Amino acid sequence: MEKIEHIGIAVKDLEKSNQLFASLFGESHYKVEEVKREGVKTSFFKNGPNKIELLEATNPDSPIAKFIEKKGEGIHHIAFAVKDIKAEMKRLAAEGFQLLSDEPKPGADNKLVCFLHPKTTNGVLIELCQERED
Ligand code: ZN
């Protein structure tokens, strides 16, 4: 893994949270993107070299809706940039980590992503992401 790519924060109201984080960082988000298949609407902020992703559920079955129901708003996942997501998935599966998908999936911000089950990572949902080349 290369570095932390972004930190994902689950929010109830993306519009309100966009304002809140804009005040916090002194800079507005630079993109909003809906990932229909995952039932989420996301927005991205830059803070120096770091990125923060806010996630709002777009339907009650969304993983974000379930997360907020259980734990409330807050840090949802930490995403790590990888060069070769398939190779990294294979390596981590062999190390005993549970992957949430067998194949990388298209994620927000032009990425291929795969998540690791938090029960195998000390309760932290980890996202692997590789920049897409299309
Ligand atoms: Zn993410």
Side-chain angles (χ1 to χ4, degrees), residues 24-61:
L24 184 68
F25 295 141
E27 207 173 319
S28 291
H29 60 285
Y30 64 93
K31 90 153 90 170
V32 173
E33 190 177 341
E34 190 170 342
V35 185
K36 279 229 167 72
R37 237 173 44 159
E38 302 292 325
V40 296
K41 200 168 161 191
T42 67
S43 68
F44 285 87
F45 288 82
K46 279 204 179 89
N47 178 247
N50 302 310
K51 271 167 37 182
I52 299 291
E53 173 186 34
L54 303 183
L55 305 109
E56 176 196 63
T58 53
N59 69 63
D61 296 324

PDB file of all heavy atoms in Angstrom, residues 24-61:
ATOM      1  N   LEU A  24     -14.619  24.366   8.252  1.00  0.00           N
ATOM      2  CA  LEU A  24     -13.482  23.751   8.944  1.00  0.00           C
ATOM      3  C   LEU A  24     -12.185  23.939   8.161  1.00  0.00           C
ATOM      4  O   LEU A  24     -11.158  24.336   8.708  1.00  0.00           O
ATOM      5  CB  LEU A  24     -13.774  22.262   9.148  1.00  0.00           C
ATOM      6  CG  LEU A  24     -12.765  21.442   9.935  1.00  0.00           C
ATOM      7  CD1 LEU A  24     -12.749  21.861  11.392  1.00  0.00           C
ATOM      8  CD2 LEU A  24     -13.106  19.962   9.830  1.00  0.00           C
ATOM      9  N   PHE A  25     -12.242  23.666   6.854  1.00  0.00           N
ATOM     10  CA  PHE A  25     -11.027  23.702   6.034  1.00  0.00           C
ATOM     11  C   PHE A  25     -10.772  25.081   5.424  1.00  0.00           C
ATOM     12  O   PHE A  25      -9.692  25.340   4.905  1.00  0.00           O
ATOM     13  CB  PHE A  25     -11.111  22.682   4.891  1.00  0.00           C
ATOM     14  CG  PHE A  25     -11.162  21.246   5.352  1.00  0.00           C
ATOM     15  CD1 PHE A  25     -11.984  20.328   4.711  1.00  0.00           C
ATOM     16  CD2 PHE A  25     -10.377  20.800   6.409  1.00  0.00           C
ATOM     17  CE1 PHE A  25     -12.034  19.001   5.121  1.00  0.00           C
ATOM     18  CE2 PHE A  25     -10.422  19.477   6.825  1.00  0.00           C
ATOM     19  CZ  PHE A  25     -11.251  18.570   6.184  1.00  0.00           C
ATOM     20  N   GLY A  26     -11.794  25.950   5.424  1.00  0.00           N
ATOM     21  CA  GLY A  26     -11.642  27.237   4.756  1.00  0.00           C
ATOM     22  C   GLY A  26     -11.664  27.091   3.245  1.00  0.00           C
ATOM     23  O   GLY A  26     -11.162  27.955   2.515  1.00  0.00           O
ATOM     24  N   GLU A  27     -12.232  26.001   2.759  1.00  0.00           N
ATOM     25  CA  GLU A  27     -12.276  25.733   1.324  1.00  0.00           C
ATOM     26  C   GLU A  27     -13.432  24.782   1.038  1.00  0.00           C
ATOM     27  O   GLU A  27     -13.638  23.832   1.802  1.00  0.00           O
ATOM     28  CB  GLU A  27     -10.951  25.066   0.920  1.00  0.00           C
ATOM     29  CG  GLU A  27     -10.557  25.303  -0.517  1.00  0.00           C
ATOM     30  CD  GLU A  27      -9.151  24.759  -0.792  1.00  0.00           C
ATOM     31  OE1 GLU A  27      -8.259  24.935   0.077  1.00  0.00           O
ATOM     32  OE2 GLU A  27      -8.967  24.140  -1.831  1.00  0.00           O
ATOM     33  N   SER A  28     -14.151  25.039  -0.053  1.00  0.00           N
ATOM     34  CA  SER A  28     -15.308  24.186  -0.383  1.00  0.00           C
ATOM     35  C   SER A  28     -14.876  22.845  -0.948  1.00  0.00           C
ATOM     36  O   SER A  28     -13.725  22.679  -1.375  1.00  0.00           O
ATOM     37  CB  SER A  28     -16.198  24.882  -1.414  1.00  0.00           C
ATOM     38  OG  SER A  28     -16.808  25.990  -0.818  1.00  0.00           O
ATOM     39  N   HIS A  29     -15.825  21.920  -0.992  1.00  0.00           N
ATOM     40  CA  HIS A  29     -15.567  20.635  -1.648  1.00  0.00           C
ATOM     41  C   HIS A  29     -15.308  20.866  -3.126  1.00  0.00           C
ATOM     42  O   HIS A  29     -15.756  21.862  -3.693  1.00  0.00           O
ATOM     43  CB  HIS A  29     -16.738  19.679  -1.435  1.00  0.00           C
ATOM     44  CG  HIS A  29     -18.047  20.166  -1.972  1.00  0.00           C
ATOM     45  ND1 HIS A  29     -18.788  21.154  -1.357  1.00  0.00           N
ATOM     46  CD2 HIS A  29     -18.726  19.822  -3.081  1.00  0.00           C
ATOM     47  CE1 HIS A  29     -19.869  21.373  -2.062  1.00  0.00           C
ATOM     48  NE2 HIS A  29     -19.872  20.588  -3.116  1.00  0.00           N
ATOM     49  N   TYR A  30     -14.600  19.951  -3.757  1.00  0.00           N
ATOM     50  CA  TYR A  30     -14.282  20.149  -5.179  1.00  0.00           C
ATOM     51  C   TYR A  30     -15.058  19.229  -6.084  1.00  0.00           C
ATOM     52  O   TYR A  30     -15.027  19.378  -7.298  1.00  0.00           O
ATOM     53  CB  TYR A  30     -12.773  20.018  -5.440  1.00  0.00           C
ATOM     54  CG  TYR A  30     -12.190  18.647  -5.171  1.00  0.00           C
ATOM     55  CD1 TYR A  30     -12.084  17.714  -6.196  1.00  0.00           C
ATOM     56  CD2 TYR A  30     -11.750  18.298  -3.903  1.00  0.00           C
ATOM     57  CE1 TYR A  30     -11.548  16.456  -5.951  1.00  0.00           C
ATOM     58  CE2 TYR A  30     -11.222  17.044  -3.664  1.00  0.00           C
ATOM     59  CZ  TYR A  30     -11.115  16.128  -4.682  1.00  0.00           C
ATOM     60  OH  TYR A  30     -10.600  14.880  -4.443  1.00  0.00           O
ATOM     61  N   LYS A  31     -15.760  18.257  -5.496  1.00  0.00           N
ATOM     62  CA  LYS A  31     -16.644  17.466  -6.355  1.00  0.00           C
ATOM     63  C   LYS A  31     -17.700  16.736  -5.553  1.00  0.00           C
ATOM     64  O   LYS A  31     -17.510  16.431  -4.370  1.00  0.00           O
ATOM     65  CB  LYS A  31     -15.836  16.526  -7.257  1.00  0.00           C
ATOM     66  CG  LYS A  31     -15.539  15.161  -6.704  1.00  0.00           C
ATOM     67  CD  LYS A  31     -15.368  14.156  -7.853  1.00  0.00           C
ATOM     68  CE  LYS A  31     -13.940  14.066  -8.323  1.00  0.00           C
ATOM     69  NZ  LYS A  31     -13.701  12.974  -9.245  1.00  0.00           N
ATOM     70  N   VAL A  32     -18.832  16.505  -6.223  1.00  0.00           N
ATOM     71  CA  VAL A  32     -19.903  15.697  -5.650  1.00  0.00           C
ATOM     72  C   VAL A  32     -20.151  14.583  -6.647  1.00  0.00           C
ATOM     73  O   VAL A  32     -20.125  14.811  -7.855  1.00  0.00           O
ATOM     74  CB  VAL A  32     -21.189  16.526  -5.462  1.00  0.00           C
ATOM     75  CG1 VAL A  32     -22.349  15.636  -5.038  1.00  0.00           C
ATOM     76  CG2 VAL A  32     -20.977  17.604  -4.415  1.00  0.00           C
ATOM     77  N   GLU A  33     -20.305  13.388  -6.135  1.00  0.00           N
ATOM     78  CA  GLU A  33     -20.504  12.270  -7.042  1.00  0.00           C
ATOM     79  C   GLU A  33     -21.418  11.249  -6.404  1.00  0.00           C
ATOM     80  O   GLU A  33     -21.257  10.921  -5.228  1.00  0.00           O
ATOM     81  CB  GLU A  33     -19.138  11.639  -7.359  1.00  0.00           C
ATOM     82  CG  GLU A  33     -19.186  10.619  -8.463  1.00  0.00           C
ATOM     83  CD  GLU A  33     -17.798  10.065  -8.787  1.00  0.00           C
ATOM     84  OE1 GLU A  33     -16.777  10.704  -8.427  1.00  0.00           O
ATOM     85  OE2 GLU A  33     -17.749   8.986  -9.381  1.00  0.00           O
ATOM     86  N   GLU A  34     -22.365  10.739  -7.193  1.00  0.00           N
ATOM     87  CA  GLU A  34     -23.240   9.702  -6.677  1.00  0.00           C
ATOM     88  C   GLU A  34     -22.753   8.348  -7.191  1.00  0.00           C
ATOM     89  O   GLU A  34     -22.435   8.203  -8.371  1.00  0.00           O
ATOM     90  CB  GLU A  34     -24.682   9.955  -7.153  1.00  0.00           C
ATOM     91  CG  GLU A  34     -25.666   9.047  -6.452  1.00  0.00           C
ATOM     92  CD  GLU A  34     -27.122   9.432  -6.718  1.00  0.00           C
ATOM     93  OE1 GLU A  34     -27.371  10.566  -7.157  1.00  0.00           O
ATOM     94  OE2 GLU A  34     -27.976   8.574  -6.488  1.00  0.00           O
ATOM     95  N   VAL A  35     -22.639   7.379  -6.274  1.00  0.00           N
ATOM     96  CA  VAL A  35     -22.330   6.008  -6.702  1.00  0.00           C
ATOM     97  C   VAL A  35     -23.617   5.215  -6.482  1.00  0.00           C
ATOM     98  O   VAL A  35     -23.893   4.741  -5.382  1.00  0.00           O
ATOM     99  CB  VAL A  35     -21.150   5.395  -5.908  1.00  0.00           C
ATOM    100  CG1 VAL A  35     -20.766   4.021  -6.462  1.00  0.00           C
ATOM    101  CG2 VAL A  35     -19.933   6.323  -5.950  1.00  0.00           C
ATOM    102  N   LYS A  36     -24.416   5.128  -7.554  1.00  0.00           N
ATOM    103  CA  LYS A  36     -25.767   4.559  -7.462  1.00  0.00           C
ATOM    104  C   LYS A  36     -25.766   3.153  -6.900  1.00  0.00           C
ATOM    105  O   LYS A  36     -26.569   2.816  -6.030  1.00  0.00           O
ATOM    106  CB  LYS A  36     -26.416   4.548  -8.860  1.00  0.00           C
ATOM    107  CG  LYS A  36     -26.997   5.903  -9.265  1.00  0.00           C
ATOM    108  CD  LYS A  36     -28.430   5.740  -9.791  1.00  0.00           C
ATOM    109  CE  LYS A  36     -29.137   7.074  -9.909  1.00  0.00           C
ATOM    110  NZ  LYS A  36     -28.647   7.900 -11.018  1.00  0.00           N
ATOM    111  N   ARG A  37     -24.856   2.322  -7.431  1.00  0.00           N
ATOM    112  CA  ARG A  37     -24.824   0.914  -7.025  1.00  0.00           C
ATOM    113  C   ARG A  37     -24.603   0.738  -5.531  1.00  0.00           C
ATOM    114  O   ARG A  37     -25.007  -0.246  -4.943  1.00  0.00           O
ATOM    115  CB  ARG A  37     -23.707   0.217  -7.789  1.00  0.00           C
ATOM    116  CG  ARG A  37     -24.197  -0.976  -8.584  1.00  0.00           C
ATOM    117  CD  ARG A  37     -23.104  -1.510  -9.447  1.00  0.00           C
ATOM    118  NE  ARG A  37     -21.854  -1.564  -8.694  1.00  0.00           N
ATOM    119  CZ  ARG A  37     -20.845  -2.345  -9.030  1.00  0.00           C
ATOM    120  NH1 ARG A  37     -20.955  -3.128 -10.067  1.00  0.00           N
ATOM    121  NH2 ARG A  37     -19.729  -2.347  -8.342  1.00  0.00           N
ATOM    122  N   GLU A  38     -23.893   1.700  -4.915  1.00  0.00           N
ATOM    123  CA  GLU A  38     -23.600   1.601  -3.487  1.00  0.00           C
ATOM    124  C   GLU A  38     -24.611   2.382  -2.644  1.00  0.00           C
ATOM    125  O   GLU A  38     -24.538   2.359  -1.416  1.00  0.00           O
ATOM    126  CB  GLU A  38     -22.190   2.119  -3.199  1.00  0.00           C
ATOM    127  CG  GLU A  38     -21.085   1.401  -3.957  1.00  0.00           C
ATOM    128  CD  GLU A  38     -20.912  -0.048  -3.492  1.00  0.00           C
ATOM    129  OE1 GLU A  38     -21.084  -0.322  -2.294  1.00  0.00           O
ATOM    130  OE2 GLU A  38     -20.636  -0.914  -4.352  1.00  0.00           O
ATOM    131  N   GLY A  39     -25.517   3.086  -3.323  1.00  0.00           N
ATOM    132  CA  GLY A  39     -26.518   3.860  -2.593  1.00  0.00           C
ATOM    133  C   GLY A  39     -25.908   5.011  -1.804  1.00  0.00           C
ATOM    134  O   GLY A  39     -26.343   5.303  -0.689  1.00  0.00           O
ATOM    135  N   VAL A  40     -24.903   5.663  -2.384  1.00  0.00           N
ATOM    136  CA  VAL A  40     -24.274   6.788  -1.684  1.00  0.00           C
ATOM    137  C   VAL A  40     -24.075   7.995  -2.595  1.00  0.00           C
ATOM    138  O   VAL A  40     -23.900   7.872  -3.802  1.00  0.00           O
ATOM    139  CB  VAL A  40     -22.883   6.444  -1.079  1.00  0.00           C
ATOM    140  CG1 VAL A  40     -23.002   5.390  -0.012  1.00  0.00           C
ATOM    141  CG2 VAL A  40     -21.885   6.044  -2.145  1.00  0.00           C
ATOM    142  N   LYS A  41     -24.137   9.145  -1.955  1.00  0.00           N
ATOM    143  CA  LYS A  41     -23.733  10.387  -2.599  1.00  0.00           C
ATOM    144  C   LYS A  41     -22.498  10.851  -1.829  1.00  0.00           C
ATOM    145  O   LYS A  41     -22.506  10.842  -0.595  1.00  0.00           O
ATOM    146  CB  LYS A  41     -24.863  11.396  -2.494  1.00  0.00           C
ATOM    147  CG  LYS A  41     -24.776  12.506  -3.495  1.00  0.00           C
ATOM    148  CD  LYS A  41     -26.087  13.271  -3.502  1.00  0.00           C
ATOM    149  CE  LYS A  41     -25.888  14.624  -4.120  1.00  0.00           C
ATOM    150  NZ  LYS A  41     -27.071  15.470  -3.898  1.00  0.00           N
ATOM    151  N   THR A  42     -21.468  11.227  -2.560  1.00  0.00           N
ATOM    152  CA  THR A  42     -20.214  11.580  -1.897  1.00  0.00           C
ATOM    153  C   THR A  42     -19.795  13.003  -2.279  1.00  0.00           C
ATOM    154  O   THR A  42     -20.177  13.504  -3.334  1.00  0.00           O
ATOM    155  CB  THR A  42     -19.069  10.628  -2.331  1.00  0.00           C
ATOM    156  OG1 THR A  42     -18.780  10.858  -3.705  1.00  0.00           O
ATOM    157  CG2 THR A  42     -19.450   9.178  -2.126  1.00  0.00           C
ATOM    158  N   SER A  43     -19.023  13.612  -1.413  1.00  0.00           N
ATOM    159  CA  SER A  43     -18.350  14.848  -1.803  1.00  0.00           C
ATOM    160  C   SER A  43     -16.914  14.761  -1.309  1.00  0.00           C
ATOM    161  O   SER A  43     -16.621  14.055  -0.340  1.00  0.00           O
ATOM    162  CB  SER A  43     -19.062  16.073  -1.227  1.00  0.00           C
ATOM    163  OG  SER A  43     -18.923  16.101   0.164  1.00  0.00           O
ATOM    164  N   PHE A  44     -16.038  15.463  -2.019  1.00  0.00           N
ATOM    165  CA  PHE A  44     -14.613  15.380  -1.697  1.00  0.00           C
ATOM    166  C   PHE A  44     -14.037  16.745  -1.365  1.00  0.00           C
ATOM    167  O   PHE A  44     -14.331  17.738  -2.035  1.00  0.00           O
ATOM    168  CB  PHE A  44     -13.835  14.786  -2.882  1.00  0.00           C
ATOM    169  CG  PHE A  44     -14.013  13.296  -3.024  1.00  0.00           C
ATOM    170  CD1 PHE A  44     -15.067  12.781  -3.751  1.00  0.00           C
ATOM    171  CD2 PHE A  44     -13.140  12.416  -2.415  1.00  0.00           C
ATOM    172  CE1 PHE A  44     -15.246  11.406  -3.879  1.00  0.00           C
ATOM    173  CE2 PHE A  44     -13.307  11.045  -2.528  1.00  0.00           C
ATOM    174  CZ  PHE A  44     -14.361  10.537  -3.263  1.00  0.00           C
ATOM    175  N   PHE A  45     -13.213  16.744  -0.324  1.00  0.00           N
ATOM    176  CA  PHE A  45     -12.494  17.943   0.089  1.00  0.00           C
ATOM    177  C   PHE A  45     -11.001  17.672   0.015  1.00  0.00           C
ATOM    178  O   PHE A  45     -10.558  16.561   0.298  1.00  0.00           O
ATOM    179  CB  PHE A  45     -12.814  18.288   1.552  1.00  0.00           C
ATOM    180  CG  PHE A  45     -14.198  18.822   1.744  1.00  0.00           C
ATOM    181  CD1 PHE A  45     -15.274  17.962   1.845  1.00  0.00           C
ATOM    182  CD2 PHE A  45     -14.428  20.186   1.849  1.00  0.00           C
ATOM    183  CE1 PHE A  45     -16.561  18.444   2.032  1.00  0.00           C
ATOM    184  CE2 PHE A  45     -15.708  20.684   2.040  1.00  0.00           C
ATOM    185  CZ  PHE A  45     -16.771  19.809   2.130  1.00  0.00           C
ATOM    186  N   LYS A  46     -10.251  18.702  -0.339  1.00  0.00           N
ATOM    187  CA  LYS A  46      -8.797  18.611  -0.251  1.00  0.00           C
ATOM    188  C   LYS A  46      -8.362  19.401   0.964  1.00  0.00           C
ATOM    189  O   LYS A  46      -8.874  20.470   1.242  1.00  0.00           O
ATOM    190  CB  LYS A  46      -8.155  19.236  -1.489  1.00  0.00           C
ATOM    191  CG  LYS A  46      -8.138  18.316  -2.669  1.00  0.00           C
ATOM    192  CD  LYS A  46      -7.016  18.694  -3.644  1.00  0.00           C
ATOM    193  CE  LYS A  46      -6.994  17.742  -4.818  1.00  0.00           C
ATOM    194  NZ  LYS A  46      -7.880  18.199  -5.911  1.00  0.00           N
ATOM    195  N   ASN A  47      -7.406  18.834   1.681  1.00  0.00           N
ATOM    196  CA  ASN A  47      -6.813  19.551   2.795  1.00  0.00           C
ATOM    197  C   ASN A  47      -5.321  19.293   2.715  1.00  0.00           C
ATOM    198  O   ASN A  47      -4.854  18.231   3.113  1.00  0.00           O
ATOM    199  CB  ASN A  47      -7.407  19.072   4.115  1.00  0.00           C
ATOM    200  CG  ASN A  47      -6.776  19.751   5.298  1.00  0.00           C
ATOM    201  OD1 ASN A  47      -6.095  19.118   6.093  1.00  0.00           O
ATOM    202  ND2 ASN A  47      -6.952  21.038   5.411  1.00  0.00           N
ATOM    203  N   GLY A  48      -4.577  20.231   2.144  1.00  0.00           N
ATOM    204  CA  GLY A  48      -3.169  19.965   1.860  1.00  0.00           C
ATOM    205  C   GLY A  48      -3.081  18.741   0.969  1.00  0.00           C
ATOM    206  O   GLY A  48      -3.824  18.623  -0.007  1.00  0.00           O
ATOM    207  N   PRO A  49      -2.207  17.796   1.316  1.00  0.00           N
ATOM    208  CA  PRO A  49      -2.057  16.607   0.471  1.00  0.00           C
ATOM    209  C   PRO A  49      -3.156  15.568   0.732  1.00  0.00           C
ATOM    210  O   PRO A  49      -3.180  14.525   0.076  1.00  0.00           O
ATOM    211  CB  PRO A  49      -0.689  16.059   0.900  1.00  0.00           C
ATOM    212  CG  PRO A  49      -0.535  16.490   2.307  1.00  0.00           C
ATOM    213  CD  PRO A  49      -1.289  17.793   2.450  1.00  0.00           C
ATOM    214  N   ASN A  50      -4.024  15.845   1.669  1.00  0.00           N
ATOM    215  CA  ASN A  50      -4.993  14.828   2.095  1.00  0.00           C
ATOM    216  C   ASN A  50      -6.378  15.087   1.532  1.00  0.00           C
ATOM    217  O   ASN A  50      -6.729  16.211   1.202  1.00  0.00           O
ATOM    218  CB  ASN A  50      -5.058  14.784   3.618  1.00  0.00           C
ATOM    219  CG  ASN A  50      -3.701  14.479   4.212  1.00  0.00           C
ATOM    220  OD1 ASN A  50      -3.041  13.528   3.803  1.00  0.00           O
ATOM    221  ND2 ASN A  50      -3.260  15.307   5.136  1.00  0.00           N
ATOM    222  N   LYS A  51      -7.154  14.018   1.469  1.00  0.00           N
ATOM    223  CA  LYS A  51      -8.512  14.100   0.969  1.00  0.00           C
ATOM    224  C   LYS A  51      -9.492  13.532   1.981  1.00  0.00           C
ATOM    225  O   LYS A  51      -9.195  12.546   2.655  1.00  0.00           O
ATOM    226  CB  LYS A  51      -8.632  13.300  -0.336  1.00  0.00           C
ATOM    227  CG  LYS A  51      -8.308  14.141  -1.533  1.00  0.00           C
ATOM    228  CD  LYS A  51      -8.106  13.396  -2.824  1.00  0.00           C
ATOM    229  CE  LYS A  51      -8.951  12.214  -3.108  1.00  0.00           C
ATOM    230  NZ  LYS A  51      -8.572  11.586  -4.398  1.00  0.00           N
ATOM    231  N   ILE A  52     -10.623  14.201   2.076  1.00  0.00           N
ATOM    232  CA  ILE A  52     -11.710  13.718   2.929  1.00  0.00           C
ATOM    233  C   ILE A  52     -12.920  13.473   2.028  1.00  0.00           C
ATOM    234  O   ILE A  52     -13.253  14.308   1.190  1.00  0.00           O
ATOM    235  CB  ILE A  52     -12.085  14.784   4.002  1.00  0.00           C
ATOM    236  CG1 ILE A  52     -10.899  15.091   4.909  1.00  0.00           C
ATOM    237  CG2 ILE A  52     -13.299  14.331   4.807  1.00  0.00           C
ATOM    238  CD1 ILE A  52     -10.473  13.994   5.844  1.00  0.00           C
ATOM    239  N   GLU A  53     -13.534  12.322   2.207  1.00  0.00           N
ATOM    240  CA  GLU A  53     -14.739  11.981   1.458  1.00  0.00           C
ATOM    241  C   GLU A  53     -15.911  11.956   2.430  1.00  0.00           C
ATOM    242  O   GLU A  53     -15.854  11.263   3.447  1.00  0.00           O
ATOM    243  CB  GLU A  53     -14.557  10.581   0.838  1.00  0.00           C
ATOM    244  CG  GLU A  53     -15.793  10.018   0.167  1.00  0.00           C
ATOM    245  CD  GLU A  53     -15.604   8.562  -0.310  1.00  0.00           C
ATOM    246  OE1 GLU A  53     -14.888   7.793   0.360  1.00  0.00           O
ATOM    247  OE2 GLU A  53     -16.184   8.214  -1.352  1.00  0.00           O
ATOM    248  N   LEU A  54     -16.950  12.737   2.139  1.00  0.00           N
ATOM    249  CA  LEU A  54     -18.176  12.649   2.937  1.00  0.00           C
ATOM    250  C   LEU A  54     -19.149  11.736   2.204  1.00  0.00           C
ATOM    251  O   LEU A  54     -19.244  11.782   0.970  1.00  0.00           O
ATOM    252  CB  LEU A  54     -18.812  14.034   3.118  1.00  0.00           C
ATOM    253  CG  LEU A  54     -17.938  15.125   3.747  1.00  0.00           C
ATOM    254  CD1 LEU A  54     -18.758  16.409   3.906  1.00  0.00           C
ATOM    255  CD2 LEU A  54     -17.369  14.693   5.079  1.00  0.00           C
ATOM    256  N   LEU A  55     -19.846  10.900   2.957  1.00  0.00           N
ATOM    257  CA  LEU A  55     -20.788   9.962   2.333  1.00  0.00           C
ATOM    258  C   LEU A  55     -22.160  10.072   2.975  1.00  0.00           C
ATOM    259  O   LEU A  55     -22.290   9.993   4.200  1.00  0.00           O
ATOM    260  CB  LEU A  55     -20.291   8.516   2.506  1.00  0.00           C
ATOM    261  CG  LEU A  55     -18.886   8.185   2.013  1.00  0.00           C
ATOM    262  CD1 LEU A  55     -17.974   7.949   3.204  1.00  0.00           C
ATOM    263  CD2 LEU A  55     -18.902   6.974   1.108  1.00  0.00           C
ATOM    264  N   GLU A  56     -23.159  10.252   2.121  1.00  0.00           N
ATOM    265  CA  GLU A  56     -24.545  10.300   2.565  1.00  0.00           C
ATOM    266  C   GLU A  56     -25.300   9.161   1.874  1.00  0.00           C
ATOM    267  O   GLU A  56     -25.088   8.906   0.685  1.00  0.00           O
ATOM    268  CB  GLU A  56     -25.167  11.650   2.155  1.00  0.00           C
ATOM    269  CG  GLU A  56     -26.641  11.788   2.473  1.00  0.00           C
ATOM    270  CD  GLU A  56     -27.277  12.956   1.715  1.00  0.00           C
ATOM    271  OE1 GLU A  56     -27.311  12.918   0.461  1.00  0.00           O
ATOM    272  OE2 GLU A  56     -27.739  13.909   2.351  1.00  0.00           O
ATOM    273  N   ALA A  57     -26.170   8.479   2.620  1.00  0.00           N
ATOM    274  CA  ALA A  57     -26.973   7.404   2.028  1.00  0.00           C
ATOM    275  C   ALA A  57     -28.021   7.984   1.094  1.00  0.00           C
ATOM    276  O   ALA A  57     -28.600   9.031   1.376  1.00  0.00           O
ATOM    277  CB  ALA A  57     -27.655   6.609   3.137  1.00  0.00           C
ATOM    278  N   THR A  58     -28.271   7.297  -0.023  1.00  0.00           N
ATOM    279  CA  THR A  58     -29.344   7.742  -0.919  1.00  0.00           C
ATOM    280  C   THR A  58     -30.571   6.838  -0.814  1.00  0.00           C
ATOM    281  O   THR A  58     -31.588   7.109  -1.420  1.00  0.00           O
ATOM    282  CB  THR A  58     -28.875   7.799  -2.390  1.00  0.00           C
ATOM    283  OG1 THR A  58     -28.316   6.527  -2.735  1.00  0.00           O
ATOM    284  CG2 THR A  58     -27.851   8.880  -2.595  1.00  0.00           C
ATOM    285  N   ASN A  59     -30.452   5.757  -0.070  1.00  0.00           N
ATOM    286  CA  ASN A  59     -31.630   4.931   0.222  1.00  0.00           C
ATOM    287  C   ASN A  59     -31.421   4.211   1.553  1.00  0.00           C
ATOM    288  O   ASN A  59     -30.294   4.094   2.029  1.00  0.00           O
ATOM    289  CB  ASN A  59     -31.922   3.963  -0.936  1.00  0.00           C
ATOM    290  CG  ASN A  59     -30.858   2.893  -1.059  1.00  0.00           C
ATOM    291  OD1 ASN A  59     -30.668   2.077  -0.158  1.00  0.00           O
ATOM    292  ND2 ASN A  59     -30.140   2.892  -2.175  1.00  0.00           N
ATOM    293  N   PRO A  60     -32.511   3.729   2.156  1.00  0.00           N
ATOM    294  CA  PRO A  60     -32.415   3.153   3.507  1.00  0.00           C
ATOM    295  C   PRO A  60     -31.614   1.848   3.571  1.00  0.00           C
ATOM    296  O   PRO A  60     -31.187   1.446   4.654  1.00  0.00           O
ATOM    297  CB  PRO A  60     -33.879   2.882   3.912  1.00  0.00           C
ATOM    298  CG  PRO A  60     -34.735   3.376   2.803  1.00  0.00           C
ATOM    299  CD  PRO A  60     -33.895   3.803   1.662  1.00  0.00           C
ATOM    300  N   ASP A  61     -31.395   1.187   2.412  1.00  0.00           N
ATOM    301  CA  ASP A  61     -30.622  -0.058   2.408  1.00  0.00           C
ATOM    302  C   ASP A  61     -29.138   0.179   2.169  1.00  0.00           C
ATOM    303  O   ASP A  61     -28.337  -0.757   2.147  1.00  0.00           O
ATOM    304  CB  ASP A  61     -31.143  -0.999   1.316  1.00  0.00           C
ATOM    305  CG  ASP A  61     -32.569  -1.429   1.593  1.00  0.00           C
ATOM    306  OD1 ASP A  61     -32.901  -1.612   2.782  1.00  0.00           O
ATOM    307  OD2 ASP A  61     -33.349  -1.553   0.627  1.00  0.00           O
TER     308      ASP A  61
END
